[in-house]
Amino acid sequence: ETGVTQTPRHLVMGMTNKKSLKCEQHLGHNAMYWYKQSAKKPLELMFVYSLEERVENNSVPSRFSPECPNSSHLFLHLHTLQPEDSALYLCASSPRTGVGYTFGSGTRLTVV
Amino acid sequence: AQSVTQLDSHVSVSEGTPVLLRCNYSSSYSPSLFWYVQHPNKGLQLLLKYTSAATLVKGINGFEAEFKKSETSFHLTKPSAHMSDAAEYFCVVNPNTGNQFYFGTGTSLTVIP
């Protein structure tokens, strides 16, 4: 375990479902991130939170909605997804933004 | 503009032989460079990082990488491959201007017994 825990590990959902991905870290880090890894594409940064405040949103569709209730937890709420949203979603944390990350194991999402 | 190119999508080596995973980058600034490894069903793990100190960087598990500014390269090497090295490897650049890290598309390493 890296210190960043993501649940669930695997998720299959229909296009009309609503689900949430959870990320938790107890490393004392102040920044948390959501990344999307699609097959054979570069890892894409989705959202950055610093001290529970969203500081970056890289043109992500509104069907993805992040939430950071405290510095240890990060959620990604999903609704009305498309099949092309199927990917590995990775959470990461860092002591502060711009410093090396610790990654979670990811949630493999399949949209059917 | 920032970008990272991993020149090989797949590399296959025999156990005990050297490993070379190639990475070229472009950055308008003095970047920090990283190599991450991802084993199946596990998160990304930092192997090593270059942050403007020594150009030859030693990492975990016997890996090292050399920052060559003139060639804009940061190739990852290991003298002798082990079966446990089979994984996906990502080269990453941080231009040190903000939060964005730029990832390559990854190189899948296969180690043949």
Side-chain angles (χ1 to χ4, degrees), chain B residues 43-78:
Chain B
L44 289 166
Q45 180 185 17
L46 180 66
L47 274 179
L48 50 79
K49 62 181 178 182
Y50 166 78
T51 54
S52 77
T55 56
L56 181 62
V57 183
K58 293 188 184 299
I60 62 172
N61 301 336
F63 284 94
E64 59 183 39
E66 186 171 6
F67 173 68
K68 291 187 177 180
K69 187 174 181 179
S70 61
E71 299 176 10
T72 60
S73 69
F74 191 57
H75 301 334
L76 182 70
T77 60
K78 182 173 180 178

Side-chain angles (χ1 to χ4, degrees), chain A residues 42-110:
Chain A
L43 209 61
E44 303 169 54
L45 178 65
M46 299 176 73
F47 301 105
V48 180
Y49 276 84
S50 176
L51 296 171
E52 302 143 45
E53 180 180 340
R54 190 190 310 181
V55 297
E56 197 155 326
N57 174 353
N58 274 3
S59 303
V60 179
S62 59
R63 56 186 184 270
F64 295 91
S65 174
E67 178 190 2
C68 187
N70 55 63
S71 59
S72 298
H73 293 85
L74 184 66
F75 295 90
L76 187 63
H77 303 300
L78 316 171
H79 64 97
T80 60
L81 293 192
Q82 304 298 312
E84 59 265 28
D85 296 323
S86 299
L88 180 69
Y89 289 84
L90 284 162
C91 174
S93 70
S94 66
R96 60 185 188 278
T97 56
V99 180
Y101 295 152
T102 301
F103 283 87
S105 301
T107 295
R108 187 160 296 282
L109 174 67
T110 303

Side-chain angles (χ1 to χ4, degrees), chain B residues 2 6 9 30 32 41 62 83 90-91 94 100:
Chain B
Q2 276 56 242
Q6 291 184 242
S9 58
S30 296
S32 296
N41 297 317
M83 294 299 296
F90 291 89
C91 181
N94 175 4
Q100 183 64 287

